Amino acid sequence: MTSQKPGGEREKVASKLPAALRQELKTRAAQLGIDMQVAVTQAVEQWRARPADSNPTIDTSGAESWNTHLPAGLYEAFKNDCDNRDGTSYVQGFAQAVRAWIDSHNVSLAELTIPRYTRRLVVCNQKGGVGKTTIAAGTGQAIALGLPATTGASKLPALPGLRTLLVDYDPQGHLTSQLGVKQIPPGEESLVTHMVDRDRVAGALLDQVVEIESDHFEGRLSLLPSSFDAFLLDSRLGSVRGPRETSLQRALAPLEEHFDVIVIDAPPNLGLAMDAGLYYGHRRKNEAAGASGVLVPVEAEDSSADAYAMLDSQIRTVSLDYEVDIDRLGLVVNKFDKRKGYVATHSLSEWESLGTPPVVAIVPDLKEQREAVHVKQPLLMYAPTSIQAQRMREIRRRLA
Ligand SMILES: Nc1ncnc2c1ncn2[C@@H]1O[C@H](COP(=O)(O)OP(=O)(O)OP(=O)(O)O)[C@@H](O)[C@H]1O
Ligand SMILES: [Mg+2]
């Protein structure tokens, strides 16, 4: 199935690929600083140029839906080749192409794109209550903890725990209170004062960063709490000297060297502060595609689709206005409950059929999340074996 993309030069292709292979492709492309679409195009073109018998069969059992974009006409030509190669299935053909591309793009240490930037994840959706705070907190915890290697069919490598800063960018201060931390009182140094006043002493904001439960996270998880005056941010940004969209980036810049990853828990609106939040997630010069960007929690219901369309258009506007790329890292379908029937299952399949951004996790509506909030503990500490905690680790894995 294909559909034409605006601009006409590439077409969307819906196929399937084993999850581990897709992950390997994504990692290798990122390591080499190559755009995924370019990597897949090269893979298909190289596959077409090779003799049929030079492609070993790949195990494609458990292949998952996968969307990509190819130059117009390439998919048709590829399908013709598959038909002419003893009816190789398209899924098998793709898997062979991707496998061979990865194998022919070995990464030497010298070639590795050293991540010069702290990765920035902006968890956003102007729709209220969809799970921004939950997903920001859970993903941040999983990043700080790291992941063990997986065994079985999908052998995935262990991922180290990284120094992670959660930023409570929402004046409601839910993330701050859920982690049992006090909001910053008015008049003190805060993200707001540093965003609106460029003459603040840079180090002063670092002093407000609070370390979370050092025993469990071994000192790798920290929080920049919300402040009481954050409600005034939008109106105060209106009178900021110099560019407003860079205000969050400017305020957080002195903190970046202390963290590997910064996760922003965004507020439920699309005001000036949110533009600065989206801008903060933009791809910086020479940064690998997909290293930073926006992660969007959504619900499996019709109103969520309308809200996402609005957010997507805002992301496009910020990208165009400031001439930056903002990578959409994925959707997290949160509070999923198939007992809600057709609306939930239909809506889930609609999210999945988008393909770009991919659904990186489906988080069920379960009690552990609310309980963790109630006892003011990080979810991955309160209920580390819960399905919700597993999903947070899945998101971390998909963002690797
Ligand atoms: N998967 C889940 N299962 C059960 N409860 C959940 C789940 N995800 C979130 N919740 C609960 O739903 C409520 C809203 O979630 P959350 O605060 O994360 O949403 P939000 O998008 O950050 O909201 P806001 O727009 O107000 O910032 C919270 O009480 C949270 O504990
Ligand atoms: Mg929230």
Side-chain angles (χ1 to χ4, degrees):
M1 190 189 83
T2 64
S3 68
Q4 204 68 33
K5 258 189 105 182
E9 67 288 52
R10 279 186 177 262
E11 60 189 356
K12 185 173 173 182
V13 172
S15 185
K16 288 186 166 186
L17 200 65
L21 197 53
R22 180 174 56 187
Q23 183 66 51
E24 226 184 307
L25 172 68
K26 187 175 167 188
T27 306
R28 187 61 51 86
Q31 286 169 334
L32 293 170
I34 298 176
D35 187 274
M36 275 284 272
Q37 291 182 12
V38 173
V40 178
T41 303
Q42 288 175 354
V44 171
E45 281 169 346
Q46 288 164 7
W47 180 89
R48 294 193 60 219
R50 274 194 307 274
D53 57 9
S54 65
N55 292 304
T57 304
I58 309 291
D59 179 6
T60 57
S61 51
E64 294 176 359
S65 12
W66 173 63
N67 290 345
T68 187
H69 289 91
L70 292 177
L74 182 57
Y75 189 48
E76 266 320 298
F78 163 80
K79 287 197 293 186
N80 278 338
D81 287 353
C82 284
D83 296 342
N84 293 333
R85 294 182 181 194
D86 297 331
T88 299
S89 76
Y90 306 151
V91 175
Q92 178 59 229
F94 258 129
Q96 291 174 355
V98 168
R99 178 76 269 155
W101 187 89
I102 294 168
D103 292 345
S104 65
H105 284 77
N106 277 327
V107 183
S108 69
L109 266 183
E111 284 171 317
L112 261 179
T113 308
I114 308 296
R116 294 184 302 142
Y117 298 116
T118 292
R119 292 182 69 177
R120 298 149 333 273
L121 308 181
V122 182
V123 183
C124 56
N125 189 338
Q126 77 285 4
K127 187 166 159 51
V130 292
K132 294 177 286 296
T133 302
T134 302
I135 303 304
T139 305
Q141 290 159 35
I143 293 171
L145 283 171
L147 296 180
T150 62
T151 50
S154 58
K155 288 192 182 62
L156 297 170
L159 297 176
L162 301 175
R163 298 167 305 160
T164 307
L165 175 67
L166 296 169
V167 174
D168 193 345
Y169 194 44
D170 181 356
Q172 299 178 100
H174 289 160
L175 179 61
T176 304
S177 60
Q178 282 177 23
L179 293 171
V181 177
K182 285 197 167 60
Q183 273 190 283
I184 298 172
E188 284 193 22
E189 306 280 350
S190 70
L191 192 51
V192 174
T193 58
H194 282 249
M195 283 177 72
V196 297
D197 179 1
R198 54 173 59 236
D199 298 329
R200 293 272 161 175
V201 178
L205 196 53
L206 188 61
D207 292 342
Q208 296 288 17
V209 169
V210 179
E211 194 177 295
I212 306 293
E213 274 291 335
S214 53
D215 281 358
H216 198 71
F217 296 100
E218 298 174 345
R220 289 193 298 268
L221 184 65
S222 301
L223 170 76
L224 178 58
S226 160
S227 60
F228 281 107
D229 51 2
F231 280 104
L232 302 171
L233 182 56
D234 260 352
S235 60
R236 291 181 66 184
L237 274 179
S239 55
V240 137
R241 279 189 290 124
R244 286 173 213 146
E245 74 282 1
T246 56
S247 53
L248 180 61
Q249 177 161 298
R250 188 171 35 74
L252 290 177
L255 276 58
E256 290 185 359
E257 66 179 285
H258 302 276
F259 298 96
D260 303 304
V261 182
I262 294 185
V263 184
I264 309 286
D265 176 24
N269 64 53
L270 287 176
L272 288 179
M274 200 49 231
D275 279 359
L278 292 174
Y279 184 87
Y280 188 58
H282 84 266
R283 198 191 306 160
R284 295 180 183 171
K285 191 157 184 277
N286 291 336
E287 186 174 20
S292 297
V294 297
L295 183 65
V296 185
V298 294
E299 287 183 84
E301 56 179 40
D302 297 340
S303 60
S304 237
D306 298 339
Y308 177 69
M310 209 183 288
L311 172 64
D312 194 54
S313 138
Q314 185 75 3
I315 294 172
R316 219 169 302 140
T317 304
V318 172
S319 303
L320 285 172
D321 285 356
Y322 305 115
E323 295 186 25
V324 290
D325 290 316
I326 300 174
D327 290 326
R328 294 149 176 87
L329 304 177
L331 302 173
V332 178
V333 180
N334 189 32
K335 298 199 218 179
F336 184 69
D337 183 355
K338 66 171 181 285
R339 290 171 307 175
K340 287 185 183 159
Y342 174 75
V343 170
T345 51
H346 175 74
S347 169
L348 174 61
S349 66
E350 296 266 292
W351 288 125
E352 285 177 327
S353 70
L354 273 184
T356 312
V359 171
V360 291
I362 302 166
V363 185
D365 191 333
L366 292 172
K367 64 180 172 55
E368 282 84 355
Q369 169 56 33
R370 290 195 182 86
E371 287 172 0
V373 169
H374 183 70
V375 297
K376 295 192 185 305
Q377 279 190 19
L379 172 73
L380 273 70
M381 196 177 126
Y382 171 76
T385 57
S386 65
I387 296 179
Q388 285 166 334
Q390 282 172 34
R391 295 294 185 267
M392 301 303 161
R393 289 190 280 267
E394 241 172 71
I395 298 171
R396 194 271 184 260
R397 176 73 74 185
R398 292 289 294 268
L399 296 174

